[in-house]
Amino acid sequence: MRTTLITGIGSLVTNDPGTGDGSPLGTVRDAAVVIEGERIAWVGPAGRAPAADEAVDAGGRAVLPGFVDSHAHLMFAGDRTAEFSARMSGRPYAAGGIRTTVAATRAATDAELEANLLRYLGEALRQGTTTFETKSGYGLTVADEERALRIAARHTDEVTYLGAHVVAPEYADDPAGYVALVTGPMLDACAPHARWVDVFCEAGAFDGDQARAVLRAGAARGLVPRVHANQLSHGPGVQLAVESGAASADHCTHLTDADVAALADGDTVATLLPGAEFSTRAPWPDARRLLDAGATVALSTDCNPGSSFTTSMPFCIALAVRDMGMTPDEAVWSATAGGARALRREDVGRIVPGAYADLALLDAPSHVHLAYRPGVPLVSRVWRRGARV
């Protein structure tokens, strides 16, 4: 396998506390990285770097792990421009808007859905995202949910079955019948294509008992739970996520002290999605409260056409620092290693020997510039699994 030496790195974020300055980011100054095939082979001071087949000079700029976007909804058609415009004019956000996207997604061909997916994955990759999760949830029929997951699985290992996004319009008067479909024939069709099972536990979507039934059925088929929890109001979502051993509770905007304690005491990651609050003018999640309690926090885009139509992890980092009480170091960790924790991955989100060679080179001397210079396209080069893209 060919080797590549990236040298002249002014500031390298490894997310290995045993490396460099000993901080959670494990920052190494005047650093170098050797890539061998798809993996990291060596990390350390540039002056001690081994020889390699090819050399790249970072010119004193910063390098960090590729972003890990652990929550996105990229399998859809259409957009909701009119809804966004109305919301910015004063109409509140509600879960039911999802049904607009359901109609467009059902009408789209497989080729159209895949082309949309590739478009948004390309956007994300150019901005430094090298690992991405995506969900179903905009088909809400057996055939449409199955095809969404089948198409998504061609492009990422992190595929989530979200048949329980909202109750399908055909079942508006029979939510119990829809839960039976989601936990029965739809699950049977979708489970072979997915790693995760998710549910939107919220007023207007699924209550605690319904959500529990969905998660238990998915777990019985080998899918690992994650939960849309406590986005629009206080509710049972976070407690259900912890009770179910979910990898993550996502949104976490409205939390009680008991919710915060449950997240701090358990293994469930609190995934915060500031793009949703930005796009809905909702209250910001209190990341400081979670971090101070000892909870593990991830940052993700929640890219979807209704409430967070962005693929930009740098944008979400800037929002988290400006409006959610995070330091720049905490936000970068949460967008890389935190996302990896939310996906229960050790091979991404870090720059350590043996991990995938997923790196982002910034046109800046420090990762702090991601929050310091919001909206500026600072990611100048990206390597994914050792290949420059």
Side-chain angles (χ1 to χ4, degrees):
M1 291 183 288
R2 285 186 61 80
T3 55
T4 299
L5 168 65
I6 305 174
T7 190
I9 301 170
S11 174
L12 174 68
V13 173
T14 68
N15 287 334
D16 177 8
T19 299
D21 63 3
S23 72
L25 292 187
T27 304
V28 183
R29 308 291 177 185
D30 189 20
V33 173
V34 175
I35 299 170
E36 183 175 13
E38 294 186 336
R39 304 277 179 170
I40 301 293
W42 183 89
V43 176
R48 301 211 309 262
D53 299 315
E54 175 190 13
V56 175
D57 185 357
R61 290 174 288 179
V63 171
L64 63 158
F67 301 121
V68 180
D69 192 349
S70 62
H71 182 123
H73 303 252
L74 304 179
M75 293 302 306
F76 68 89
D79 75 11
R80 282 149 66 184
T81 303
E83 178 188 322
F84 176 79
S85 182
R87 190 162 60 244
M88 294 301 102
S89 301
R91 191 177 78 188
Y93 175 70
I98 291 165
R99 295 182 182 90
T100 303
T101 303
V102 169
T105 302
R106 289 179 177 181
T109 66
D110 286 14
E112 288 169 337
L113 289 178
E114 189 160 27
N116 278 349
L117 173 66
L118 291 173
R119 172 188 172 189
Y120 300 125
L121 292 182
E123 279 185 6
L125 188 59
R126 289 192 295 273
Q127 297 174 90
T129 297
T130 51
T131 301
F132 32 80
E133 180 266 5
T134 192
K135 310 174 191 297
S136 65
Y138 290 125
L140 309 186
T141 68
V142 172
D144 285 307
E145 289 293 292
E146 186 276 338
R147 71 168 177 152
L149 296 175
R150 173 169 35 85
I151 293 167
R154 297 172 189 162
H155 303 285
T156 179
D157 296 332
E158 304 300 342
V159 179
T160 300
Y161 169 49
L162 184 59
H165 202 178
V166 293
V167 174
E170 298 84 357
Y171 286 84
D173 297 324
D174 184 19
Y178 186 67
V179 171
L181 179 70
V182 168
T183 58
M186 189 183 287
L187 175 61
D188 292 340
C190 291
H193 306 297
R195 181 183 178 199
W196 308 96
V197 59
D198 197 347
V199 59
F200 190 10
C201 184
E202 188 66 66
F206 298 89
D207 65 25
D209 290 339
Q210 293 167 330
R212 183 176 290 103
V214 170
L215 297 179
R216 284 179 175 173
R221 292 297 304 270
L223 304 182
V224 183
R226 31 191 353 105
V227 181
H228 281 61
N230 300 54
Q231 177 185 5
L232 305 179
S233 61
H234 292 96
V238 164
Q239 296 292 336
L240 176 62
V242 174
E243 166 197 319
S244 303
S248 65
D250 297 14
H251 288 289
C252 295
T253 307
H254 299 274
L255 301 179
T256 65
D257 289 346
D259 294 332
V260 173
L263 290 166
D265 293 341
D267 295 326
T268 298
V269 174
T271 299
L272 307 184
L273 310 169
E277 279 69 40
F278 177 87
S279 297
T280 61
R281 289 180 174 161
W284 297 100
D286 189 346
R288 184 80 270 134
R289 182 183 179 198
L290 287 161
L291 290 165
D292 288 348
T296 300
V297 172
L299 284 177
S300 289
T301 65
D302 191 23
C303 183
N304 74 85
S307 60
S308 183
F309 205 0
T310 180
T311 53
S312 176
M313 289 288 276
F315 174 64
C316 292
I317 288 170
L319 291 179
V321 173
R322 168 63 179 80
D323 291 303
M324 290 164 44
M326 301 185 88
T327 68
D329 284 12
E330 289 167 340
V332 166
W333 189 94
S334 294
T336 52
R341 293 268 187 96
L343 294 175
R344 294 185 173 172
R345 297 279 296 268
E346 295 287 338
D347 55 352
V348 297
R350 304 187 300 156
I351 300 179
V352 297
Y356 280 117
D358 294 347
L359 303 96
L361 173 66
L362 302 184
D363 190 12
S366 166
H367 63 276
V368 176
H369 281 234
L370 291 166
Y372 180 40
R373 303 195 68 206
V376 178
L378 293 178
V379 176
S380 60
R381 299 186 197 175
V382 178
W383 286 262
R384 183 168 186 265
R385 297 202 172 185
R388 182 175 167 183
V389 294

